[in-house]
Amino acid sequence: MGGVTIQLFIDTRSGQPIYLQIYTQLKENIINGTLKADEPLPSIRNLAKDLRISVITTKRAYDELEKDGFIYTITGKGCFVAGQDISLLQEETLKKIESHMLEIARLARSCELSYTDIIEMYGDVHYNYGGKRI
Amino acid sequence: MNNNAITIQEVAKSYKDFQIENFSLELPSGSIMGLIGENGAGKTTLIKLILNMIRKDSGTITVLGKDNEKELTAVKDDIGVVLDEPCIPEYLKTKEINKIMKNIFANWNENTFFDYLKKLKVPENKTFKEFSKGMKMKLGLTIALSHDPKLLILDEATNGLDPVMRDEVNDIFMEFTRNADRSILVSSHIVSDLDKICDYIAFMHEGKLLLCDEKDLLLEKYGVINCTKEELQKLDTSAIVGKKKTPYGINVLMERRNIPQGLKISAVDVEDLFVFMVKEN
């Protein structure tokens, strides 16, 4: 592994498949830039052994990441982070936010919260998440 | 050469009151397989068959690419075996054991031997007679690991160990299989041990292989639902893998894809899966 250390947490009791936990966490690290393009990932076998999980599990996580274009494999050398089209990822994120907002609007209407109530609530959330007080 | 550390094809062996019939199993190179079965399921018999310690009636077994009856001697140095207790003269200490093993195994590595002994806290100044059950097992494991084997076969090996020690042994197994051409076959009835570290799980029951699959797939494939008697009657009986009745409801193990929508599915672990399957059979 290169200079960057990534943190991976496996929760065997969460009920979420372990390969998916690895997939999600690595993907997050790639999107937020902790893992940069062309950076090597731990080998499938070593990652499995370090996390004390099955090799098949890590292989599956890597396969999924590769299928979705987040990593690429060079035979004999291992897996590397693929360069990401940031604007595309951002667009994906924007869509996600939009769908969450629709949900907020729906919930707000169901308990008759006004536009200003919601904005006020978001101000608190924003502040608690480390943003400026609005 | 195929890529299996062990290939068992349609092996049969019968005794007066017990038989293994039409038994096939493959251990892919580089992986850990847990062989799970209750006492008397035939795990030890199977392991002895693999090692040609007892002769099979029919079928073929290939170990590290060699037929186990004709060519096993060629790969014997590459197999590390831990059966329930190592047979070692009682008055020997680890130093003397090292000397003996040096003459037995062509690729015996003293450094590895003493490193593992230190790591596993096996005493140097005690004779084998004075060892506890756990120490004996650890010594057996150390010997098995010290001649650089490609295949490790363990029969109920971690049973005598306390949880902390078992954990350390699991670490050793993980370290051992970091190298992709090393494999482990480990039998146990303590399922929770194997749950974590195995790539493949094989269930054995009354001499038969109930199932063998990738562990993760097994856990994803099956689920347990809690239902009432009425709900049970509506289920497709052929889809039920196992069930457990309590006065307050029935737990049913099924393949997830067969579970009707709307029922709450809880996840299974290897132990649940095994108990459900054996009870139903």
Side-chain angles (χ1 to χ4, degrees), chain A residues 52-104:
Chain A
R52 299 183 61 171
I53 53 174
S54 150
V55 174
I56 298 167
T57 309
T58 43
K59 179 158 187 326
R60 186 154 164 212
Y62 276 33
D63 284 349
E64 295 287 319
L65 283 166
E66 182 156 18
K67 205 174 75 193
D68 296 343
F70 290 102
I71 64 173
Y72 62 92
T73 311
I74 300 177
T75 317
K77 284 199 169 166
C79 297
F80 300 85
V81 178
Q84 295 302 318
D85 188 343
I86 299 295
S87 63
L88 204 75
L89 289 172
Q90 275 172 343
E91 197 176 311
E92 203 178 283
T93 314
L94 281 181
K95 271 192 192 146
K96 228 185 246 171
I97 293 176
E98 203 182 338
S99 82
H100 285 305
M101 282 177 165
L102 277 172
E103 180 69 11
I104 290 174

Side-chain angles (χ1 to χ4, degrees), chain B residues 120-137:
Chain B
L120 292 171
K121 301 192 189 79
V122 179
E124 277 181 39
N125 46 9
K126 277 190 181 166
T127 59
F128 186 69
K129 191 172 64 177
E130 298 167 289
F131 276 24
S132 68
K133 192 169 188 278
M135 283 180 203
K136 283 180 181 167
M137 186 268 134

Side-chain angles (χ1 to χ4, degrees), chain A residues 114-128:
Chain A
S114 71
Y115 171 80
T116 31
D117 291 334
I118 294 294
I119 292 296
E120 213 167 273
M121 274 169 80
Y122 183 72
D124 288 340
V125 173
H126 181 74
Y127 177 71
N128 288 333

Side-chain angles (χ1 to χ4, degrees), chain B residues 14-254:
Chain B
S14 54
Y15 294 100
K16 245 186 276 155
D17 49 355
F18 176 77
Q19 57 261 358
I20 288 181
E21 269 175 300
N22 202 7
F23 197 99
S24 300
L25 185 70
E26 285 178 4
L27 169 62
S29 236
S31 45
I32 306 179
M33 179 182 282
L35 184 62
I36 296 170
E38 79 274 52
N39 297 325
K43 302 183 296 282
T44 305
T45 309
L46 184 72
I47 285 175
K48 285 185 172 164
L49 282 168
I50 292 170
L51 296 168
N52 201 25
M53 290 162 77
I54 47 179
R55 294 205 140 231
K56 53 189 181 291
D57 298 338
S58 62
T60 53
I61 300 179
T62 321
V63 181
L64 296 171
K66 307 282 181 200
D67 182 275
N68 84 328
E69 278 183 10
K70 298 182 196 105
E71 314 165 293
L72 194 67
T73 31
V75 288
K76 261 198 172 151
D77 261 10
D78 291 330
I79 308 173
V81 180
V82 187
L83 302 180
D84 22 79
E85 212 167 82
C87 289
I88 282 168
E90 290 192 326
Y91 51 87
L92 292 186
K93 293 181 185 170
T94 52
K95 248 188 204 156
E96 288 125 10
I97 294 170
N98 174 50
K99 271 187 202 156
I100 294 174
M101 294 300 165
K102 239 199 301 198
N103 291 314
I104 293 180
F105 293 106
N107 36 5
W108 180 258
N109 187 330
E110 320 192 278
N111 293 336
T112 316
F113 181 68
F114 288 113
D115 283 350
Y116 273 126
L117 288 182
K118 207 180 263 176
K119 206 173 182 180
L120 292 171
K121 301 192 189 79
V122 179
E124 277 181 39
N125 46 9
K126 277 190 181 166
T127 59
F128 186 69
K129 191 172 64 177
E130 298 167 289
F131 276 24
S132 68
K133 192 169 188 278
M135 283 180 203
K136 283 180 181 167
M137 186 268 134
K138 287 191 268 180
L139 178 67
L141 179 64
T142 306
I143 293 172
L145 285 164
S146 298
H147 54 94
D148 190 28
K150 291 199 172 62
L151 171 64
L152 203 56
I153 296 181
L154 304 111
D155 190 18
E156 306 276 345
T158 52
N159 289 6
L161 301 179
D162 61 69
V164 178
M165 221 49 244
R166 281 214 298 269
D167 193 63
E168 270 173 53
V169 170
N170 283 351
D171 269 340
I172 290 175
F173 289 169
M174 289 319 247
E175 225 25 72
F176 177 77
T177 47
R178 221 176 254 276
N179 189 329
D181 50 40
R182 290 172 169 178
S183 328
I184 301 181
L185 175 69
V186 49
S187 88
S188 182
H189 58 249
I190 303 182
V191 183
S192 57
D193 268 9
L194 302 173
D195 197 344
K196 276 193 205 159
I197 60 166
C198 287
D199 301 299
Y200 295 90
I201 294 283
F203 284 161
M204 220 178 153
H205 181 60
E206 290 172 354
K208 290 186 204 70
L209 186 69
L210 283 187
L211 90 164
C212 173
D213 217 331
E214 291 175 21
K215 181 194 65 191
D216 293 359
L217 286 185
L218 281 180
L219 301 187
E220 271 171 42
K221 194 168 157 191
Y222 296 97
V224 171
I225 49 172
N226 304 315
C227 62
T228 61
K229 252 188 193 160
E230 292 75 42
E231 282 170 320
L232 180 70
Q233 275 162 358
K234 282 184 210 147
L235 295 172
D236 176 8
T237 40
S238 63
I240 296 172
V241 186
K243 53 181 185 278
K244 249 193 276 186
K245 278 183 193 156
T246 72
Y248 307 103
I250 305 158
N251 297 327
V252 184
L253 176 77
M254 290 176 84

